Structure formats: C-alpha cells, structure tokens
Amino acid sequence: MGTFKTAWLIGSYASLPAQAFVVNASPQGVAASSYYLYDAVDALSLLAQVKTALEAAGLTNVVATLCVDRKVRLASSDAFGLTWGAGGTLIRDLLGFSGLGLAVATSHVADAVSPLLWSPGRQESSMLSPLGTRGHIDYITQQSVSPYSGRTESIGHGAREYQRFWFPLVMTERVRTATDEGGTFAKWFETVAVRSARWKLIRNVYENPASSAAAYLGNGTLGPYIYSAGGKGVAWTFTRSKGFERSEEAVDIDIPCHVCPEFTS
Amino acid sequence: MATVAELIAMPHREVGFVLFIEGCPFAVTTHPDLAGSGASSWIGTGHGARRVLEGLSIGKGQTVTHSTSLESGMLENSDGTTFEVQDFDGELVEFMRDQTEAETLGELLLPTDDPAPATLLSSDGQTSINLWGRYINKEAIGPAGERNYYQVFPGDPMPGLSHAAYTGDLQSLAPSMVYDSPPFLQGRRVALWMIVKDIASTATGYQAWKTWSQVAAEQADTLVFIGTLNQPEAEGRTWKLPCDGMSSLLRKQLNANRPDQWQKVSATISLSDEPGAREDLMGLKFYYQEGGTGTLLLGAESLFDETLDVLPTTGTPFSYRAAISNRITTVSGTAGVDITYTAFYNATASISQGYCETSIDDAGWGAVWILILHEKTLRMLGYDPILQQAGAFESEYEITFLPSESLALLGIITPGPGYWGMKLSTAPLGAVDVVSALDQADNQGAPRYHRALTDEGVDLLYPGGDQELLVGLGPATPFIMGQTNRAPGEHIISNSGGEVDTQGYFAFRSSYLENVDAEVITMVQIAKCGWHNDDIFNGANFGENADGYRVLWVERWIDARWFGCDRKPLDQVWASLDLEYAPIAWIGYNLKFGDRADLVLLRTMLSTGTASWSGYDGQNPVRTFGVNAHPNATYTEGDDVEDADLGLAIPASLIDYKSFTKTASLLPDGGADSPLNRVKFGFLGSFDSQELIARILAPRGWGMGWVRGKLRLFSLAQPLSQGDVEVSIDPDDFVSDEPMYIEQVDYAALTAKDKFKITAGGALIEEAAPDKDLIYEVRANDPGARARQSNAELDIDGAGLIRTDLWEKNGPQSWGPAWSKLWSTTMSEWYGAPAVRVQVTLHYSKARLLGPGSIVRFSSYFAPGRDGVYGLNLKLGRVTSIERDLFTGTAVVAILLQPGTATFPRRFAPIAFVLDDVADVEERHDATARTFYCYENYFGHEGDQHDVTAFAEPDWLGVGGDATVHGWQWNGREWAHTMSFEVESISTAGNLIVYKPGSMTGTFHESQYCCLVMAPYDTQAADSWPRALFSVHTRANFTFGTGPTKGFKLT
C-alpha cells in the first residue's frame, strides 16, 4: 500500500502521573500533567516532553515523532539505551513500546501504534459542519414570551459546539482485532473516549505503512473534542459497511463529539 | 461600553453563573469563559489566589422560592436549592476529605484580631500552630494573616469570625480546628452570582465579561442566591450540593460560648471608709436598768470614734469579732456617768461565733448594751435585722434591732445610712425588756444569749452594687466573654486585679426568706458586671488578683422585672449561704427602659463582634461601630454593636435598614416609641436566633421580606397606597407558552380570625417566674366578624414583651392597649378582608425587581377579583412569594391584592410652591439653569415625601413621556395661569424642578407668588406618564374643560 491521505485522531491522557525512566544511565522523566500524544504546543505534547527528557540526558539531534506508519520513533545522533523501570511503564505503553527497555541504538521505533492514536485510513466526513470547521454551535438560550403581545425576553447561558465525524468503509483491522492492540478503534475508544479524554483530529496526514519517515501534522487540526455519550452512555457500535454486511472487509465508524476547553498548559 | 445595569435591562442577556463558597479558594461556574485562575482569567488576582472551575450546572427547572408566611411573618425556610457540580478537577472530593491531622487551638482568635497572628498555641499549650495561609474552622486566613479570606462577596468586606477556645473542665465548647485545606463544613455561606457578558464587546473569552466587582456593584440583580451549605450527595464525579437559602442566615444558635451552668460565688465584705458614708465604724453603749422602775445607771459608751471604733474595711468574720470584742472589753470596763458596767453588778458582755452573751449579778437590775454596726457587718456575722426583729421574745433568735431613726431618739447619730443597733440585755425569754421583766430582769444571774440567725461568713450582696465577688481560683473558671452593648464601668479591681475592661450581665440566685413567716423562695437578681479580661491562654476568663482569685465586679443592679422575673430590686443587703451566679446574654441596650424591638432586630442581624468602646459607662464613653456598620443607620443601637456570639453577621448590604425603622413607626400608640415596640430579651445559655426574630415579628404583625437582595421589614396589614408602589405589573409582563393565558386566583389566601391571644411569659430565670403569664385577648372587629360562625383563634408568643404587671406602681407603660388596638382592628380587618391572591409567571425584567414584601400595582385581563367583574384593574398588592427559575430568569409570583380601589384614598395631588422669601430672584427661578426652587413641604402633608417628588415619574411606573406643569401666580386679585413647562428632572436634595429646554411658555412674574400644579389631563401628552398615573377628574359638566373629551361622573 502506498501513501494515502487520512485523518488522525490523537488522544490525550488527563492527569498523567510523573513518569521516570533512565536514558544511558541518566535518570529522566516527564512531569505529571495532562498531555496529548502529540500537540503543536510542546507543554501539551507527550512527545515533546520525551524529547526534552532525552536532551536532558545529553543526547543531541533528538527526534521524538510520529511516523507516517503511525508509530512513535525516538532517535538521536547519539546511540542511547533506555530503561523504563517501574515508574515508566505507563508512558512506555502510551508511546507504543513494550518490554523492559530499549537496547542501545540511535533510533527506536515503537512496537505498536500508540493507544492514543487512531487512524481510520481515510479522511473525515464532518456531518454537522463543512469540512475543516470545528463543529456546529448550539446556543443555550431561553426565551420567555408574553401571551398576549408576543413581547420576548431571552437569557443566554453560552453555547455548546457539537460535531459528528463519520468514517465509512474503514478497514476492519483498524477497528477491531482479536487482541485490540494499539491502532484499532477499539483500543483508542477504550483509552480515550471511555475516559472522556480530550482528543484532536489532525487533517490530511500522509500515511504510509511501509515508511518510518516523520509524519507531517501541519495540515489542520480540529478540536479539542470529547466523545459525546449517547443513550447507552459512552458506547459505539460495530457496524459493517453497507454492501459488506457479510464480509469482514469494512466497518462504518460514527463519532459524535463536542468541543471542550483546552488544557491549561 | 454598556454598564452592568444596562446589560441587565436589555431584553437579551448573556450570563454565566459562579458559585462561591465561603472560605474556599475555589468556585465553580457554568461558563467556560469564566473558568480559570491567575492574571489571565476572569477571576484574576484581585480576589486572592482563587480559581474558578468548570462544572456547575444550572439547568431547566432549577428554582429558588422565597416567601413570607402570612401567619408568622417569617421568611419561610423553603428557599433552598441544590446545585449540581461535576468535579472535573477533583476539588470537591478533596474538599470532603476528613482532615484527621487538623490541630486544635488553645487560644482565642477574635474578629478584632486583624490581621491574625502568625501562630497561636495548641490546646495543650505546647505547640505553636501556624495560622497564615491556613483554615480555622470555616474561616480562611490569608497569606499575611488577612481575616476571613475568600468571602462570597468581592473585596472580602466582612470581618473575621470568632473562634472560641477552651479546654477547662467547667464547660464544654466545640474545639476550634486548624486545617491545611478548606474542609467541608456544614453552614459555610454560599453565593451564586450571575455574571453578565458585554454582548457589544469585541473582546473574546473572559475579557468580554463584566468583572466580579462590577457585577457586585449591581448586587440587587446579580446576587442570585445566598445561603449556607448543607450535606452533599455524590454519584461518581457528579455532586449535589444542597444549600439552604437566605433564611438560613437568620438561623443560628447565639450565645453558644457562654456557660449555662450556675456556679458558686463568694462575696467578700467591703465596708466604705468614705467620709460621710462610712460603714466601718461601730458604737457601744452600756447601762443597767432596774426591773419594774426602769431606773437607769449609765455605764460608758463609745460611738463611732474615728480612731477607736474603726473596723477593718474587709476581712474574715473572726477578724471582725476580734475587733468588736476588743472594744466591748475596753468600753464595758470604762467608768461611765454612773457606773462601770463590768464592776458595779459585775455585768458581762461578749460576742462569740453565733451568739452574744450578757449577764449580771442576781440583784434585780438588768444589764443592757447596744452594739451598733453597719448592716453589712451584722449580716456577715449571721444576724438579720429584719427577720430577727423581736416579737414576743420567745426564742433566743429574737433581738431588738434599732434602726438609725430609733437610735437618733436615743441621741445616737449614725455616721451614715444602713446602721442598726442591736439591743442586748439580760431580760429573760418572754420579757420585752428588763423593765417589764420586773425582778427577773437579771435573768436570775444566768447568762442570756442572743443568737445569730445563720452561720457566719454568709455571702452578702449590697443593693448599691459596686462590689467585688470572687468567682474562682486559678484556671477553675468557665470561658466567659463580655458584651459590647454598653461600655464597662470605671473600676480598678482591688489587690492588683487590674482595671475593668470588659462588661457583661449576670444572674444571681440563692435561697431567700422574705420574713420569718414566709416560705423560702429563690431570690434572683440581675446585674451589670465588669472584670479585667484575661485571655492569655485557654480562652477568656475573669482576671486574677494578686492572690490568684478571679474577680467579678458588680457595677450595678438591673431591675430583674425587665426580664420577666417576679423579684423587686434589692433594698437591703442580700445575705446568702448558697449564692450562685450565671452569665446571661442581654440583647438590648437600655438599663432602665425597654429596648426598641426594631433596633434589637437590626443589631442582632448586623453584629460581628468588632465594635468597641473607649471611656466608661455613665461618663459619655465613645463607641466605635463594628466593621459591618450599616451605611444607612440612623440609630446607634440598631447597628453592628454587639459581640460576635450574639450577632448573625449578615452583611449590611443585604439589609434594607430604613424599612425596619419605618415599619416600627407604623405601630399604634406612638409608632417606634409605642410600648408595643419595647422588649427586653435575655437568655441563659444558647438560644435560637430564628425564635428571637419570630418573637419580635409576631406580636407586632410584622413580616420579613427579601427584595432585590435585601432583607426588609414590613407591616403585614399596612394599607397600601399608590405612593408605595415599587413595580407596576400588567399583562404584557406575563409569560406563557400558551397564547390564551389565564391567571390563577386564590380566594382563600387569608383565613379570617375570630380571636387573638398573646401570652407574655417565660422569665429569664425560671425560679423567679411570676405565678401566671401576662395574657391579653381581643375579639376580631372586622366587618365580617358578626356574621362568621367560626372559632379561629390566633395564639401569639409574646415572650420578650415587658411584664408590666410586675410593677405595682411607677412601672413601664403597658403595651396591652396598643396591642389590642392593632389586633382587634388593623390585623383582624386584614385577615378578614376580601383579599385575593393572584399567581402569574413574569418576565425576568419584572421578576428581578420583586421579592416577598414588594408592593406592586397589578392589572390583568381575565382574573376575577372582588369588584364583581373579570379582570383586575390597577390593584395594589404585596408579593408574598416568588419562585425564580434560575435558567430562564422568569418567576412565578404570588401577589396578595388589597381589596378596594387604589385610586379612591385621598392624597395630595402634585403641587409645589415656589420660594418667595429670597434675596435674589435667581433663588426662586433661575432662567439660565431652567430651574424653579420650591418649598420642601409647603402644605404640611403627612409622610416624608418632598413636594417636587410628585412631578417626576415613579420608578415603578415605566411609562415615560414628559409631565406638563402649569404655573399659577397671585397677581394681587386672583390666581392666574401664567406659564407652562415640561419637566426635565427634579431634585429632592435641592427641592427644585428643572424644565426642558424650550418647553417654557408664558411668563413667570418674579414678584408674584407662584404655585406649580400638573396641567389638566387633556393637556398632557397622550403617551405621557401623568395620564397613566393620575385619576381622571372632570369639571361639573363631566368634560375636561373646553376639550371634547368626556370624563366619568364623579361618585
């Protein structure tokens, strides 16, 4: 499969506890806070924090990035090993790594896709507003009307911004697998949506499963969103795509969501 | 940029709510723009390190109901609501954490300790507890010791709270705890503020919103809810915070810190050595008298010699007996005019513990001696000159006591009042004196004893006051704090006890025998006392003297009858073997009169414990009002003047001061000075403030309202007039989704009463309660009373009213006639009136102006009234309840409409007289400034309204347009209409009317008297407010002058 354009849903982990790991025998870590896997604002980006930690360990030309194959890559001009330790297993899992640590090398690519990242393998369809816009605003305004004259007063309590992203014909392997590993919608939903964590949709990402080049994430970001609970609470339905009801080829994913305030950095 | 007031008045408002919790650095909001902390946030840094969190939900159907009971007049307790908060940030769960590590204070922290000290000692005195930046009970202390940090009003206007600390054994007080973070505590004040967005602003985020201080300046509209926190419920991160409403601020256990137990007290003797009023002298006179003949043989005497006959001013019974015995020995052994008492017939005289002994040889002569002592000395030795006054001399306890007047007849002039002569002789039992004893006058040579009535060393309380009492030794005293209702008296505690700097009120009681034939009763007296405050450690105590005794000084006695005790003031020394005392709280100020009920109410609501005095009672002391002094206060005694334990600390901004005094002025028989407005409230132990308020409201037919963020007092039955109207309501103000809306009308809002009964009982000290309560009863005299066949009776608790029946003469004026007048006519007519209560839903624009107690003018299309037609037209009424919908801003309002037509009562039409006795013509009429200057009240009408006021549209009317005024002037022959103008504005401060530019027509003659009146109906502009407000009057031909408009026939 070659390069294709897709949307990426990048989730966050609220109130991440302080994480500790050792880089080339240098104890490092990430401060407790709330982070997206990636964000343009470094203070909100877990990858940016990891990069800072590696630099603090004396490494040069550090790279901590998402690759076009969806995986995290940590690299430096200097070879480095990394031990996660007991205080770093959570960040290990969030980045998609596994095991006790990383053997000494100049580049380390995660074993799996981060559970905070989901790529449907296609561009989004924003159902409540035109493409590229964040959502549709519902105003919370109450009117009171005089019965005889129709004189009207109103009081506004602000507004809520809603959106619904529809991804038809998503390859089933990106939705569910036997183990629901990172990269599946089921894993992302469990890690991000169920926890009502913030996430953002990054538009027009050029993805290539066969390449570990750094992904370009600057083609537009929408959000932050929170998955909106419905009648069954925070839930989703495995719905095979029309025309593929009797196959395992494709699934339609529907994501109702609403806009929320950004983390305070 | 629009002001907050302008934004609120717009037909569309953008709002967010912020719920503040007293003493907590966090608040919760409904709107994301208002969330945040620090310089770049709506809350900013000007209110301490606060943070506003998202998570508050104000949803559909969330209402707050305020109502006034038509029976008790109280604000009803149903004004609470429950706030739902999502605990996104984990603040609430931390708030609920049980802080077991909290530390217990051992030192007192008063509201006047501002800033708070950096540390105070722990309860064991071993540890310094840091206070700054921490939380004492429900009060937050700022980083530099600022008191009462994080209040629910911007600027933290209220002083700190009072945190009592006591760990002794004599009473139990709740501990004062110090926490690291604000703990959940039931009773914290909460306030929900409505923040408005400037919808014309081009700013984004929080910068488009008005600041907290800006919206608080319009508190009447923006303080949506105030109350106290109750026990929460939680489901996951969703919390429900039930809060009691405004009425909960009126509900508190006051006087909770003073002990309610009686304690032993010791009264030491203290004899005055002041020249002219000496009490420390004694006298002796010895003689023989022959039985039968009465012949005298005079021995020596020594009377009040200021060198020889001096007793110690204070001491023990033994020391007094020793001093007296010395003088007896000396004087009885001295040769007198005829004999030496102890030599001729070998008579003896002596005083011992409990008795006096007299003897003489068996020679037919009696030995007689008179021992003259001050009553204080006599009573301390166990003798009672009243109860022991001799009758038939059948016991050794009967003694002939000679008062000063009788002594004077014997030529003995006492050096001051209060002296008694104890005549002791050998006359045997059964004989009145030695003369009548005949040959038994010598008691046949046997000793004759005269015995004391009680043991020595009884406690003595003197009727004049000014006496020190010993109330404990070392730390063995209860926690005691003074009151600040009066200044302390001037006194230095003896024996290095320090200067009196604190004053309070105490009850004393003991067993008491009125006379020998009477049964033992409990004597009770009330005193104003002073002491030197000692709050060095472990709370507040009476100060110690050099011997370690804690000393209380009785400054003066207060007639206990004011407090309902059936005990007359002391007129003699009160001797007791079982004397006890207990501190009382007195919610008042007059020592010799009743206290005004309206002022008692105000001081109870306002007091914070921050008032103080300099100087001494009776010597023109200077009072400093507390921090919560009301800016509109007109009476010093109705203000922030009392101790924190006796005040509700309701912010002055929440109280409509004038309504209280104005309502009191409506009472019959003297208004505010009516006997019905006089009370005396005293309490032993804690008491419920709500009960106190109820006892003030009920007997006077008063009601408590809550209008535009202010508590107001009003008279339930006050007849309403057009001038009282605050808000005008017409069908355009109604709200309904149904185009055909019909108002609800209740014809049974009030229940007619047939009888009213008030019971004034409840003595401050139960043992001294009168045998029966003071009860007044009246029958209803309303027009329907004769026809009714019912037995509805209203019982009123009159506790606190003066028990005028306890005075036989020269007592206070009875409140019975005023009460009877009020309830048999005004109140009974109100209860029996054909009133209706209409209920409608109103737009926010009108709802925000209303609350229980508001006076409105009401019109509707369909509601049936009591005029025999459908549709209510310009009816006056008072709002009795309002249910506000916080989400929509609308409110369901119940209005009790007054029967009759509001335009019928006579009242002054707009009329003003231009000044005439002036130096310059511009002082009458300034053409440049377009101003007429008028007299304030030329025709002497009732009320405090200025004449010019009637030329401006009332605030409540809301019609607009200009009033046209005619000027009539006296030309020497007649009044002539000389000019007209339209009113631009008026000023009551200057009693002036400014007319609109270019509106003046005709001529103002400077040298003529000028009277200003409203132009006739037809001359007023068609859409102007005078046409909407004033009644239509026609000429005799039923037309309006020369115009074609027909009027209505005058009835």
Side-chain angles (χ1 to χ4, degrees):
Chain A
M1 187 183 289
T3 299
F4 55 89
K5 257 195 319 189
T6 180
W8 278 8
L9 274 60
I10 294 185
S12 68
Y13 196 102
S15 303
L16 178 75
Q19 298 294 303
F21 44 83
V22 178
V23 181
N24 284 351
S26 170
Q28 296 297 331
V30 171
S33 188
S34 298
Y35 300 107
Y36 296 94
L37 174 62
Y38 161 80
D39 194 86
V41 177
D42 285 352
L44 301 180
S45 171
L46 186 59
L47 286 172
Q49 299 303 308
V50 171
K51 180 172 182 280
T52 302
L54 296 179
E55 288 170 343
L59 305 182
T60 56
N61 297 321
V62 174
V63 172
T65 186
L66 278 165
C67 302
V68 294
D69 63 356
R70 297 179 289 161
K71 293 180 180 174
V72 167
R73 177 170 168 256
L74 307 179
S76 166
S77 304
D78 309 311
F80 66 98
L82 192 150
T83 306
W84 297 110
T89 54
L90 179 54
I91 192 173
R92 176 197 67 189
D93 293 347
L94 293 176
L95 295 174
F97 289 98
S98 59
L100 298 177
L102 307 176
V104 175
T106 55
S107 177
H108 304 275
V109 177
D111 304 299
V113 178
S114 164
L116 296 175
L117 171 64
W118 184 62
S119 166
R122 59 175 301 135
Q123 292 175 274
E124 80 282 8
S125 296
S126 52
M127 305 306 287
L128 301 184
S129 66
L131 284 171
T133 58
R134 194 168 64 170
H136 176 74
I137 298 172
D138 278 357
Y139 292 94
I140 310 167
T141 295
Q142 285 292 308
Q143 275 190 347
S144 56
V145 184
S146 297
Y148 312 122
S149 66
R151 182 165 76 87
T152 302
E153 294 182 9
S154 61
I155 183 167
H157 297 274
R160 290 276 293 280
E161 193 171 353
Y162 295 94
Q163 185 57 282
R164 187 162 72 86
F165 292 111
W166 188 49
F167 299 100
L169 296 166
V170 178
M171 287 187 296
T172 303
E173 68 209 44
R174 292 202 175 210
V175 177
R176 284 213 62 179
T177 65
T179 55
D180 285 341
E181 70 274 16
T184 62
F185 180 73
K187 186 67 176 177
W188 181 89
F189 191 87
E190 176 192 356
T191 311
V192 179
V194 169
R195 298 178 182 184
S196 297
R198 292 166 170 84
W199 53 272
K200 292 179 180 175
L201 185 144
I202 300 182
R203 307 188 67 229
N204 300 325
V205 179
Y206 288 90
E207 185 177 321
N208 185 341
S211 170
S212 59
Y216 179 68
L217 304 176
N219 286 329
T221 301
L222 301 175
Y225 298 108
I226 286 179
Y227 190 94
S228 299
K232 291 166 66 178
V234 179
W236 68 286
T237 307
F238 184 84
T239 308
R240 291 183 176 84
S241 300
K242 194 172 183 181
F244 295 90
E245 291 89 342
R246 296 184 179 278
S247 78
E248 298 287 21
E249 291 297 317
V251 177
D252 292 349
I253 293 295
D254 192 18
I255 300 180
C257 56
H258 58 266
V259 175
C260 68
E262 182 58 283
F263 289 124
T264 51
S265 56
Chain B
M1 184 178 291
T3 65
V4 172
E6 289 168 342
L7 290 170
I8 288 171
M10 288 178 179
H12 174 76
R13 298 161 301 283
E14 285 289 330
V15 305
F17 293 101
V18 182
L19 181 69
F20 289 92
I21 304 174
E22 178 188 34
C24 293
F26 63 87
V28 285
T29 183
T30 56
H31 205 290
D33 285 356
L34 304 176
S37 61
S40 298
S41 69
W42 172 78
I43 192 68
T45 56
H47 306 289
R50 297 192 197 232
R51 46 193 186 275
V52 179
L53 312 170
E54 266 198 273
L56 176 65
S57 299
I58 301 289
K60 285 184 178 176
Q62 179 154 9
T63 59
V64 176
T65 301
H66 296 287
S67 58
T68 300
S69 166
L70 297 180
E71 292 287 329
S72 67
M74 294 287 284
L75 268 182
E76 295 189 299
N77 295 338
S78 55
D79 54 357
T81 192
T82 297
F83 295 105
E84 186 174 299
V85 178
Q86 300 295 327
D87 187 21
F88 294 130
D89 301 85
E91 287 278 2
L92 282 178
V93 75
E94 168 66 18
F95 185 49
M96 294 303 299
R97 185 174 70 86
D98 183 16
Q99 298 189 41
T100 53
E101 72 278 15
E103 300 169 282
T104 308
L105 273 185
E107 286 186 280
L108 181 68
L109 184 65
L110 291 172
T112 47
D113 298 328
D114 191 5
T119 62
L120 283 177
L121 285 174
S122 60
S123 57
D124 59 5
Q126 301 300 309
T127 311
S128 286
I129 300 176
N130 292 322
L131 301 183
W132 290 10
R134 302 184 76 195
Y135 301 84
I136 305 177
N137 299 324
K138 65 178 182 178
E139 180 184 349
I141 305 296
E146 297 93 332
R147 298 297 307 272
N148 212 348
Y149 217 46
Y150 303 132
Q151 293 182 32
V152 297
F153 292 87
D156 294 343
M158 297 298 287
L161 309 180
S162 178
H163 305 283
Y166 179 75
T167 54
D169 299 328
L170 292 179
Q171 77 190 92
S172 60
L173 283 186
S176 284
M177 309 299 291
V178 181
Y179 305 89
D180 287 327
S181 65
F184 167 80
L185 288 172
Q186 197 172 347
R188 282 186 187 275
R189 287 183 180 177
V190 296
L192 183 72
W193 290 88
M194 184 179 77
I195 315 301
V196 288
K197 184 178 183 179
D198 186 351
I199 54 178
S201 170
T202 55
T204 59
Y206 75 90
Q207 291 175 319
W209 294 77
K210 294 295 182 182
T211 67
W212 190 18
S213 299
Q214 285 172 329
V215 297
E218 301 293 337
Q219 182 175 305
D221 291 312
T222 55
L223 180 61
V224 177
F225 177 88
I226 185 165
T228 53
L229 190 59
N230 233 322
Q231 292 285 359
E233 297 173 18
E235 185 178 338
R237 283 180 177 258
T238 303
W239 291 76
K240 286 184 165 40
L241 303 180
C243 295
D244 294 330
M246 178 61 213
S247 62
S248 65
L249 270 61
L250 300 170
R251 196 165 58 235
K252 185 183 174 187
Q253 286 294 315
L254 299 180
N255 198 35
N257 291 340
R258 286 183 183 78
D260 56 3
Q261 303 294 318
W262 292 88
Q263 305 286 340
K264 292 287 183 188
V265 60
S266 175
T268 56
I269 188 168
S270 174
L271 301 182
S272 168
D273 57 1
E274 187 178 331
R278 293 193 68 154
E279 299 169 337
D280 59 339
L281 299 178
M282 62 171 287
L284 283 168
K285 182 179 179 70
F286 295 92
Y287 60 91
Y288 296 163
Q289 192 163 26
E290 187 177 23
T293 67
T295 304
L296 293 172
L297 290 174
L298 299 177
E301 66 180 25
S302 180
L303 299 170
F304 316 117
D305 186 294
E306 295 186 4
T307 303
L308 301 174
D309 296 323
V310 181
L311 297 173
T313 54
T314 188
T316 63
F318 174 82
S319 64
Y320 278 89
R321 270 192 291 106
I324 295 167
S325 292
N326 280 340
R327 290 302 296 156
I328 290 173
T329 302
T330 301
V331 179
S332 63
T334 302
V337 175
D338 300 317
I339 56 166
T340 298
Y341 177 79
T342 54
F344 193 75
Y345 283 128
N346 299 312
T348 65
S350 66
I351 185 167
S352 303
Q353 183 175 353
Y355 63 90
C356 293
E357 181 180 338
T358 312
S359 67
I360 193 170
D361 290 347
D362 186 2
W365 285 73
V368 183
W369 57 295
I370 301 174
L371 172 60
I372 307 161
L373 296 170
H374 193 271
E375 183 182 357
K376 292 179 181 177
T377 316
L378 279 172
R379 288 185 180 274
M380 188 194 61
L381 296 173
Y383 297 92
D384 188 318
I386 308 299
L387 296 179
Q388 287 187 265
Q389 190 63 269
F393 290 94
E394 292 173 346
S395 83
E396 292 176 338
Y397 292 100
E398 293 183 52
I399 301 171
T400 299
F401 281 96
L402 304 171
S404 296
E405 304 80 49
S406 301
L407 291 170
L409 296 175
L410 300 175
I412 301 172
I413 306 302
T414 58
Y419 279 87
W420 290 84
M422 190 159 59
K423 187 176 178 183
L424 308 162
S425 74
T426 52
L429 284 177
V432 175
D433 54 26
V434 292
V435 178
S436 63
L438 304 176
D439 60 346
Q440 300 297 310
D442 54 14
N443 201 28
Q444 297 180 305
R448 170 72 160 89
Y449 297 100
H450 295 86
R451 299 191 182 276
L453 187 64
T454 64
D455 292 340
E456 284 184 344
V458 295
D459 294 311
L460 305 175
L461 294 171
Y462 311 138
D466 190 13
Q467 179 183 5
E468 292 181 4
L469 308 176
L470 303 181
V471 289
L473 184 64
T477 52
F479 178 92
I480 186 75
M481 285 185 62
Q483 288 188 230
T484 51
N485 58 341
R486 296 187 68 90
E490 183 178 14
H491 183 72
I492 307 277
I493 302 288
S494 61
N495 196 15
S496 305
E499 183 176 7
V500 167
D501 56 10
T502 310
Q503 65 98 39
Y505 303 87
F506 293 80
F508 294 86
R509 73 176 183 187
S510 77
S511 303
Y512 190 77
L513 201 57
E514 189 77 38
N515 58 63
V516 286
D517 299 324
E519 292 185 5
V520 175
I521 62 167
T522 301
M523 170 56 89
V524 169
Q525 294 292 330
I526 309 294
K528 177 178 190 276
C529 299
W531 63 94
H532 179 73
N533 185 47
D534 171 16
D535 59 1
I536 295 171
F537 179 65
N538 201 4
N541 289 319
F542 305 112
E544 293 176 312
N545 64 16
D547 297 329
Y549 284 100
R550 298 201 180 264
V551 182
L552 177 67
W553 172 58
V554 177
E555 179 188 334
R556 61 183 299 167
W557 296 101
I558 303 173
D559 194 333
R561 292 175 291 192
W562 288 112
F563 296 95
C565 298
D566 192 9
R567 300 291 182 267
K568 294 176 183 173
L570 290 178
D571 56 4
Q572 62 190 44
V573 174
W574 174 14
S576 166
L577 288 169
D578 57 355
L579 184 66
E580 294 179 311
Y581 81 108
I584 63 164
W586 168 30
I587 316 299
Y589 52 95
N590 266 331
L591 289 171
K592 295 182 177 177
F593 308 97
D595 306 310
R596 271 179 57 168
D598 54 326
L599 303 186
V600 168
L601 199 50
L602 283 165
R603 65 195 289 133
T604 302
M605 293 196 295
L606 287 166
S607 289
T608 60
T610 48
S612 61
W613 291 91
S614 61
Y616 304 106
D617 204 0
Q619 301 177 38
N620 297 318
V622 177
R623 168 184 261 156
T624 302
F625 291 104
V627 175
N628 195 34
H630 202 291
N632 301 332
T634 48
Y635 293 91
T636 56
E637 299 299 347
D639 213 334
D640 180 3
V641 291
E642 193 42 285
D643 173 39
D645 197 24
L646 301 176
L648 295 170
I650 296 173
S653 64
L654 301 183
I655 294 173
D656 178 359
Y657 191 98
K658 192 175 179 183
S659 72
F660 285 73
T661 53
K662 184 179 179 183
T663 301
S665 70
L666 299 174
L667 287 171
D669 293 357
D673 293 325
S674 167
L676 186 55
N677 198 34
R678 295 289 169 177
V679 293
K680 193 65 78 177
F681 283 105
F683 298 92
L684 174 58
S686 63
F687 63 96
D688 176 8
S689 60
Q690 207 169 26
E691 194 173 306
L692 170 75
I693 294 169
R695 287 174 172 176
I696 290 176
L697 299 189
R700 298 163 184 87
W702 288 348
M704 187 80 86
W706 175 242
V707 182
R708 292 182 64 67
K710 288 186 190 294
L711 286 167
R712 70 162 52 168
L713 190 69
F714 62 92
S715 171
L716 288 168
Q718 174 199 349
L720 307 178
S721 67
Q722 291 277 13
D724 299 323
V725 170
E726 298 165 291
V727 179
S728 182
I729 299 170
D730 61 41
D732 202 33
D733 300 315
F734 300 171
V735 170
S736 174
D737 293 332
E738 300 296 328
M740 199 59 203
Y741 176 71
I742 306 294
E743 315 84 56
Q744 294 179 27
V745 173
D746 175 12
Y747 275 74
L750 293 172
T751 305
K753 304 285 188 288
D754 299 285
K755 192 175 178 182
F756 302 95
K757 177 181 175 184
I758 188 167
T759 304
L764 170 59
I765 308 300
E766 194 178 332
E767 297 92 322
D771 294 336
K772 57 183 179 182
D773 291 333
L774 176 60
I775 297 174
Y776 290 104
E777 292 179 339
V778 290
R779 285 185 295 109
N781 286 334
D782 63 289
R786 289 195 178 283
R788 273 197 305 276
Q789 288 195 305
S790 58
N791 55 1
E793 181 174 326
L794 184 65
D795 284 323
I796 300 169
D797 179 1
L801 281 159
I802 308 299
R803 287 295 304 262
T804 54
D805 56 321
L806 299 181
W807 279 265
E808 292 167 0
K809 57 182 180 180
N810 300 326
Q813 187 182 354
S814 170
W815 47 268
W819 181 85
S820 300
K821 189 182 298 181
L822 174 68
W823 287 86
S824 66
T825 55
T826 310
M827 294 304 294
S828 70
E829 286 173 10
W830 183 68
Y831 278 115
V836 295
R837 181 161 56 187
V838 63
Q839 182 168 301
V840 291
T841 305
L842 297 178
H843 280 296
Y844 172 79
S845 57
K846 284 292 166 70
R848 70 185 177 93
L849 305 174
L850 300 173
S854 294
I855 300 172
V856 301
R857 195 173 71 165
F858 183 87
S859 296
S860 73
Y861 294 143
F862 304 110
R866 304 299 288 256
D867 298 333
V869 294
Y870 289 96
L872 298 166
N873 184 34
L874 302 177
K875 294 294 180 186
L876 299 189
R878 193 182 288 276
V879 174
T880 59
S881 79
I882 183 166
E883 181 186 4
R884 298 184 193 281
D885 187 320
L886 300 182
F887 193 61
T888 65
T890 61
V892 180
V893 180
I895 305 164
L896 186 67
L897 297 177
Q898 179 174 283
T901 302
T903 51
F904 281 4
R906 290 199 323 167
R907 60 197 169 102
F908 263 79
I911 185 167
F913 214 81
V914 178
L915 297 179
D916 47 58
D917 187 13
V918 294
D920 300 314
V921 292
E922 285 78 13
E923 294 177 45
R924 301 186 73 206
H925 172 230
D926 186 339
T928 306
R930 310 185 314 279
T931 301
F932 283 103
Y933 297 92
C934 305
Y935 288 95
E936 179 177 325
N937 180 3
Y938 188 80
F939 297 95
H941 59 69
E942 294 177 351
D944 54 3
Q945 183 169 297
H946 296 217
D947 288 344
V948 297
T949 307
F951 291 88
E953 182 181 5
D955 293 337
W956 50 266
L957 189 58
V959 172
D962 299 315
T964 303
V965 174
H966 283 180
W968 291 73
Q969 294 193 273
W970 178 251
N971 59 19
R973 300 185 308 280
E974 61 179 356
W975 287 96
H977 175 206
T978 61
M979 50 94 179
S980 304
F981 60 83
E982 292 176 357
V983 177
E984 180 176 274
S985 64
I986 63 108
S987 166
T988 55
N991 291 304
L992 56 87
I993 300 174
V994 179
Y995 52 87
K996 297 185 74 174
S999 68
M1000 179 77 149
T1001 58
T1003 304
F1004 174 73
H1005 301 286
E1006 293 173 349
S1007 59
Q1008 295 182 4
Y1009 293 115
C1010 181
C1011 184
L1012 303 176
V1013 296
M1014 278 289 181
Y1017 183 90
D1018 275 354
T1019 310
Q1020 300 289 349
D1023 57 352
S1024 63
W1025 66 265
R1027 283 204 177 195
L1029 178 64
F1030 296 115
S1031 303
V1032 177
H1033 291 277
T1034 67
R1035 297 188 176 215
N1037 62 0
F1038 309 136
T1039 65
F1040 298 101
T1042 56
T1045 311
K1046 276 195 171 184
F1048 307 97
K1049 185 176 181 180
L1050 293 172
T1051 57

